[in-house]
């Protein structure tokens, strides 16, 4: 079914080891005590560019470098973490990168992308940016690095779970947020091999539940328009032809309400002292739901995807006080 | 002048090494590039209890344990990080602890203190709590652990700078926030020995500038009432008879406006991906001012004191967007 295998994840790990951080796995005594389970967090928010995305982009280029087939130029369309990932990965291989984005890209993300040496071209809307990157990709010796639907991207993202499961054995459940499905797909490939008894579970915003709908329909479904969710890393309109069949092999899938993901963003920032983005905290909301179905102590790994949060998201996250109600599985 | 020496800090380090985390030293390529200097952050927000305070409290009890003089009970008055520090340190030595605090203690801090095994007694106001702890301290074999004005507390807090300077040599400036002055005093003792050319600089909220006033007057001055500052860790009414003469030996002192410390809280949370408290970010505001006076590249250490932030503080921090204006030394 899948064109990507565990061996690809292992190869990716060797290939990108010197290009990315081995991020720490953290836990909270207080949280474990309250919930009565062991919960571990793979802190990809402390990864270079502040998100796991650098793993996939680095693997994409490192594999071409290995084959002596490095492109002369790379292009990508993104206004988020993928833009920074492509910019930094390209700079590691001394290749010029151009990012096609929209005029409403946040100034801080544009500045970071430019800092990594990429040219940032802004278009009036996403359709125009997508058209421009497509044209640019037709230039000879130019590589268009996709955000998730590519074997080398999936294998690269899988290295985060590979590291986490090598560090913490005997996990019974592993949770990842889902946008296009690159992280969840890579996580599944690593987990089936390293913790074969563990359940692999995806989490998506209820307000951007294209993958949940796709799983129910048995075919890829798309969002009708831009979704209203604070989990902006999971707002992707649909998953890909490569990620979908892998996602179909997962053991569970949760659609998370905005209030749940805000609650867990506050609590994870407070307990872990990390600037965790709502997309990551969403996975912990799935953990809390899942644990309510279990009668025996579980050992869970949560893939904290990143920590890039806009000021307006931070303002919305901290509007109300959810720290008053201590996490519990009793309600 | 001072009753505490570098040897006390070294002894404290050996004594508490197994009781506290060796926290990481982090930096931001982006920030260093924007400012044109090297800036390192000692991340005590990732310390046990989320703040450096566990170092002093642990040293206080570990030293008594070493002398076979452990008290039968410990008491402390605090509604903040010191409460949690005393609770956890006492539990490490299997001693019961009672914390005397006020009814408006945040539920999350009360829950954390109770989790570490301490009894939490709430009083209508601070005067009543202070009176009660004083009475309790007169019980035989009871130790009252003070928050900063004690040689063992100062020596314990100094271990944070000791670790940081052993890891990063040739620092030219080191910055710490100042409440009662325990962290700054310990930092000075470590720095004079390990980086004798470095300037040691304290930072205080302009709205709670009792130490700045004390330095100008040459004697300890107190705040007139509860100060209005988001840097709640630096809202202490006055420093102590032990910390003041050490603070007088520092090379500089900055009084930081609220807008400056909010600006740097946003930026440090964003760049370091850490849940840094405003009291810590205040020290970076001092760094930015200091760097404007320098013509050669500097290598700076910032003591990030902690990461315990209430929901209402988070809401105030993220009310406006300071991420639009990238840090610079040019204004």
């Amino acid at each position: 079914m899948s064109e990507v295998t565990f061996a690809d994840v292992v190869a990716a790990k060797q290939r990108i080891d010197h290009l990315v951080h081995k991020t720490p796995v953290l836990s909270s005594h207080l949280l474990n005590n309250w919930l009565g389970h062991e919960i571990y967090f793979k802190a990809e928010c402390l990864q270079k560019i502040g998100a796991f995305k650098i793993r996939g982009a680095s693997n994409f280029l490192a594999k071409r470098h290995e084959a002596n087939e490095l492109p002369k130029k790379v292009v990508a369309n993104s206004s988020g973490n993928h833009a920074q990932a492509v910019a930094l990965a390209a700079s590691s291989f001394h290749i010029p990168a151009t990012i096609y984005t929209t005029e409403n890209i946040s100034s801080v993300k544009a500045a970071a992308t430019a800092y990594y040496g990429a040219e940032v071209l802004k278009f009036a809307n996403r359709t125009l940016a997508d058209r421009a990157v497509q044209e640019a990709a037709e230039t000879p010796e130019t590589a268009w690095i996709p955000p998730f639907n590519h074997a080398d991207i999936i294998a690269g993202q899988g290295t985060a779970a590979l590291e986490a499961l090598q560090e913490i054995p005997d996990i019974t459940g592993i949770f990842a947020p889902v946008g296009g499905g690159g992280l969840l797909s890579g996580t599944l490939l690593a987990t089936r091999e390293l913790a074969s008894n563990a359940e692999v579970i995806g989490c998506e915003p209820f307000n951007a539940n294209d993958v949940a709908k796709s799983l129910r329909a048995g075919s890829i479904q798309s969002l009708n328009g831009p979704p209203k969710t604070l989990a902006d890393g999971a707002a992707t309109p649909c998953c890909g032809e490569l990620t979908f069949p892998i996602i179909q092999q997962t053991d569970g899938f949760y659609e998370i309400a905005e209030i749940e993901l805000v609650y867990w963003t506050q609590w994870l920032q407070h307990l872990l002292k990390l600037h965790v983005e709502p997309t990551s905290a969403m996975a912990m909301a799935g953990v809390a739901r899942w644990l309510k179905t279990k009668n025996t102590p579980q050992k869970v790994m949560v893939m904290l995807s990143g920590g890039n949060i806009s000021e307006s998201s931070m303002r919305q996250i901290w509007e109300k006080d959810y720290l008053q109600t201590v996490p519990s599985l009793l309600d």
Side-chain angles (χ1 to χ4, degrees), chain A:
Chain A
M1 192 88 135
S2 154
E3 297 177 31
V4 207
T5 67
F6 178 68
D8 295 319
V9 180
V10 173
K13 167 81 178 144
Q14 289 168 339
R15 212 175 270 139
I16 67 173
D17 231 13
H18 63 295
L19 298 171
V20 306
H21 291 320
K22 184 171 185 298
T23 54
V25 174
L26 304 173
S27 62
S28 162
H29 287 293
L30 208 48
L31 181 66
N32 289 348
N33 180 263
W34 283 330
L35 300 188
H37 298 274
E38 271 178 84
I39 306 173
Y40 296 90
F41 297 91
K42 176 67 170 170
E44 286 293 292
C45 46
L46 298 176
Q47 186 53 267
K48 288 181 183 182
I49 74 138
F52 71 94
K53 293 265 180 182
I54 187 64
R55 295 178 180 269
S58 297
N59 186 46
F60 185 100
L61 287 178
K63 194 173 165 194
R64 271 144 198 80
H65 181 253
E66 214 173 68
N68 218 0
E69 289 172 357
L70 264 185
K72 283 244 161 65
K73 190 178 174 178
V74 299
V75 296
N77 45 334
S78 163
S79 56
N81 292 332
H82 184 56
Q84 293 178 57
V86 168
L88 178 57
S91 83
S92 300
F93 291 96
H94 311 290
I95 304 171
T98 306
I99 304 299
Y100 294 76
T101 187
T102 51
E103 275 161 11
N104 65 358
I105 186 174
S106 78
S107 57
V108 59
K109 281 192 177 163
T113 307
Y115 166 71
Y116 296 127
E119 184 183 19
V120 179
L121 298 182
K122 297 180 190 176
F123 293 81
N125 57 54
R126 193 156 170 169
T127 312
L128 291 175
D130 290 355
R131 196 177 301 156
V133 77
Q134 206 162 349
E135 279 170 25
E138 285 161 16
T139 318
E141 300 201 66
T142 299
W144 181 5
I145 305 188
F148 54 85
N149 200 42
H150 191 287
D152 299 343
I153 301 292
I154 294 170
Q157 319 304 35
T159 60
L162 178 77
E163 287 174 12
L165 297 173
Q166 281 175 340
E167 187 169 341
I168 310 289
D170 305 322
I171 287 295
T172 60
I174 186 165
F175 288 70
V178 183
L183 181 62
L184 180 60
S185 297
T187 297
L188 185 131
L189 295 175
T191 307
R192 287 289 183 255
E193 192 76 21
L194 295 174
S196 54
N197 292 321
E199 294 183 41
V200 179
I201 294 170
C203 298
E204 195 178 46
F206 178 78
N207 288 354
N209 62 349
D210 58 286
V211 175
K213 284 179 178 162
S214 305
L215 287 169
R216 284 192 284 269
S219 63
I220 297 173
Q221 307 292 311
S222 283
L223 296 174
N224 291 324
K228 263 194 87 170
T229 177
L230 276 168
D232 54 351
T236 322
C238 61
C239 63
E241 308 219 325
L242 210 54
T243 55
F244 184 57
I246 308 179
I247 295 171
Q248 284 182 306
Q249 300 167 40
T250 55
D251 306 293
F253 205 86
Y254 289 103
E255 294 160 78
I256 307 296
E258 292 301 296
I259 192 174
E260 285 177 275
L261 63 89
V262 170
Y263 175 90
W264 282 108
T265 306
Q266 286 198 0
W267 273 103
L268 293 190
Q269 291 191 357
H270 176 74
L271 290 171
L272 301 176
K273 307 302 178 200
L274 294 178
H275 194 60
V276 171
E277 64 187 33
T279 304
S280 301
M282 182 174 65
M284 181 61 212
V287 172
R289 285 208 208 168
W290 182 75
L291 288 174
K292 287 182 186 174
T293 71
K294 301 291 177 189
N295 299 315
T296 53
Q298 303 294 313
K299 195 170 171 185
V300 182
M301 181 65 68
V302 183
M303 305 305 293
L304 292 183
S305 49
N308 291 326
I309 319 173
S310 70
E311 171 278 338
S312 73
S313 292
M314 281 300 281
R315 197 174 52 222
Q316 289 175 71
I317 290 161
W318 289 95
E319 235 162 29
K320 290 185 186 163
D321 186 359
Y322 293 108
L323 296 184
Q324 299 243 354
T325 316
V326 162
S328 153
L329 301 176
L330 297 177
D331 57 60

